[in-house]
Amino acid sequence: MSGKKEKVIDLESLTSDEKVKYEIAEELGLLDRVLEHGWKSLSSKETGRIGGLMTKKKRENNNKNITNVN
């Protein structure tokens, strides 16, 4: 038995960027590992993939906002 406590994530207190990060981790099938072992348990390839998808979603949201304003 491990001496570590599981960290409980309060989804209501997360920033929008953090919510997106957790959503993408879930889409990639990495959320269970993140919740159990933390973000440091991911490889650089996995974290790069998450970062790339976060950037893509931000860009898409910004484009939608610009389109809606015009």
Side-chain angles (χ1 to χ4, degrees), residues 59-70:
R59 196 174 301 130
E60 288 171 354
N61 287 338
N62 286 340
N63 289 338
K64 283 181 190 176
N65 291 338
I66 291 171
T67 304
N68 289 338
V69 170
N70 294 331

Side-chain angles (χ1 to χ4, degrees), residues 18-44:
E18 289 173 324
K19 287 179 185 179
V20 170
K21 185 164 70 168
Y22 279 99
E23 288 170 8
I24 292 171
E26 183 176 27
E27 289 171 11
L28 296 176
L30 302 171
L31 185 59
D32 290 338
R33 188 165 13 136
V34 169
L35 294 176
E36 189 172 337
H37 301 290
W39 291 105
K40 290 183 178 184
S41 67
L42 300 181
S43 69
S44 58

